[in-house]
């Protein structure tokens, strides 16, 4: 796609305003966006600006956009705001998480029903009394996709935060685990709040890279090195997200 002087692009993600793709898959890592794009038919690189690396292609004939959002809530919210203006109507986050419950093993998927808003970005949109919840239809499509493909998945509440290396994290994780929270990440809550307010359907599929009561920083380091289980979990979250959009399209057919 040529970048002509007359072509208007969104200021941060640098995607054309008239792109017109309804479905987006949103990994955090630009390298993961590239890896995810390889599963698409006829993948095409679009742009790479700041933390936002994007590709378009088709999944079984369905147009799909893949774009990284970087780390944390602020960049995720900016991404969704600008994607909405290009025509995106449904977005699925795929990313890593730490497990707070023992049944969620390394390499498993967590489909996040709702998220604890323990981060700052979503406060710019609504008070804490406003819930961070997935779009029900899109979440069910994720569940259907994961089940059809035989992946190991769990569904539950997540917690989103802003500080990976906080000194009190072990105690904080334990407290939220006692309340039944299943996973910990940095982007799901701001994604859900921004999407709900802006009218974009959102869901979050997380790949467990740190087991319950393990060292999160150490386990994420192993994930970056491509450990077998977490690499397999990444493949599963990518295929689950693409399959979810296919489920949505199938449900629309007469």
């Amino acid at each position: 796609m040529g970048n002509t002087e007359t072509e208007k692009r969104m200021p941060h993600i640098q995607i054309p305003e008239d792109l017109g793709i309804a479905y987006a898959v949103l990994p955090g890592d630009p390298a993961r966006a590239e890896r995810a794009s390889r599963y698409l038919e006829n993948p095409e690189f679009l742009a790479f600006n700041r933390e936002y690396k994007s590709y378009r292609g088709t999944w079984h004939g369905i147009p799909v956009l893949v774009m990284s959002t970087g780390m944390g809530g602020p960049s995720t919210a900016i991404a969704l705001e600008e994607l909405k203006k290009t025509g995106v109507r449904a977005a699925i986050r795929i990313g890593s998480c730490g497990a707070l419950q023992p049944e969620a093993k390394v390499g498993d998927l967590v489909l996040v029903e709702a998220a604890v808003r323990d981060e700052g970005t979503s406060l710019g949109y609504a008070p804490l009394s406003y819930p961070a919840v997935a779009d029900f239809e899109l979440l069910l499509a994720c569940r259907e996709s994961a089940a059809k493909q035989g992946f190991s998945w769990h569904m539950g509440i997540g917690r989103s935060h802003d500080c990976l290396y906080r000194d009190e994290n072990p105690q904080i994780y334990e407290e939220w685990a006692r309340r039944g929270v299943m996973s910990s990440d940095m982007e799901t809550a701001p994604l859900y709040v921004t999407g709900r307010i802006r009218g974009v359907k959102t869901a979050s599929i997380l790949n467990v890279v740190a087991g319950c009561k393990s060292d999160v920083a150490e386990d994420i380091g192993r994930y970056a090195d491509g450990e077998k289980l977490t690499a397999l979990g990444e493949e599963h979250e990518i295929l689950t997200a693409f399959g979810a959009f296919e489920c949505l399209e199938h449900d629309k057919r007469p």
Side-chain angles (χ1 to χ4, degrees):
M1 172 175 289
N3 186 3
T4 65
E5 293 183 358
T6 59
E7 185 178 60
K8 293 184 178 180
R9 291 177 173 250
M10 301 309 301
H12 297 93
I13 64 176
Q14 286 294 297
I15 289 176
E17 290 183 358
D18 60 353
L19 188 65
I21 295 178
Y23 298 133
V25 172
L26 307 178
D29 184 4
R32 196 181 311 138
E34 181 179 354
R35 292 194 294 269
S37 74
R38 297 172 189 162
Y39 292 83
L40 295 174
E41 302 142 0
N42 304 311
E44 177 188 357
F45 171 76
L46 288 177
F48 192 4
N49 186 53
R50 298 177 180 262
E51 57 266 68
Y52 306 112
K53 191 172 190 178
S54 55
Y55 299 83
R56 68 175 174 183
T58 58
W59 176 260
H60 296 178
I62 301 167
V64 177
L65 172 73
V66 177
M67 189 184 81
S68 58
T69 63
M71 295 178 67
S75 60
T76 300
I78 289 170
L80 199 64
E81 290 275 13
E82 296 191 4
L83 287 172
K84 165 68 184 298
K85 295 176 181 178
T86 71
V88 169
R89 301 197 311 271
I92 299 176
R93 161 168 160 70
I94 56 170
S96 56
C97 73
L100 302 186
Q101 301 298 330
E103 64 267 26
K105 306 298 185 183
V106 172
D108 287 357
L109 303 181
V110 175
L111 313 182
V112 185
E113 298 174 90
V116 177
R117 294 174 56 196
D118 227 356
E119 40 68 48
T121 300
S122 66
L123 283 173
Y125 289 89
L128 283 176
S129 53
Y130 188 91
V133 294
D135 176 82
F136 182 71
E137 180 185 27
L138 187 56
L139 188 66
L140 287 185
C142 292
R143 185 181 70 174
E144 180 181 352
S145 175
K148 280 183 176 179
Q149 298 181 76
F151 300 151
S152 180
W153 58 273
H154 311 269
M155 189 175 287
I157 298 172
R159 169 183 171 264
S160 295
H161 61 94
D162 284 336
C163 191
L164 183 63
Y165 294 107
R166 186 172 175 176
D167 292 338
E168 300 83 6
N169 272 343
Q171 295 92 336
I172 293 171
Y173 295 151
E174 186 174 340
E175 289 173 5
W176 285 111
R178 286 200 304 268
R179 298 181 178 114
V181 173
M182 180 166 287
S183 62
S184 177
D185 80 333
M186 300 177 72
E187 294 83 13
T188 296
L191 177 78
Y192 283 4
V193 172
T194 306
R196 184 70 61 165
I197 289 175
R198 295 300 187 229
V200 179
K201 296 180 177 183
T202 57
S204 183
I205 304 169
L206 303 179
N207 170 26
V208 177
V209 300
C212 183
K213 297 185 179 180
S214 68
D215 186 308
V216 175
E218 180 181 335
D219 284 348
I220 287 177
R222 289 209 306 270
Y223 172 60
D225 292 335
E227 186 187 55
K228 183 178 180 181
L229 282 176
T230 51
L232 185 63
E234 177 182 288
E235 180 181 39
H236 289 176
E237 67 181 351
I238 292 169
L239 294 175
T240 297
F242 290 153
F245 293 141
E246 187 175 6
C247 291
L248 285 183
E249 286 294 306
H250 184 270
D251 289 343
K252 292 178 183 178
R253 296 168 191 165

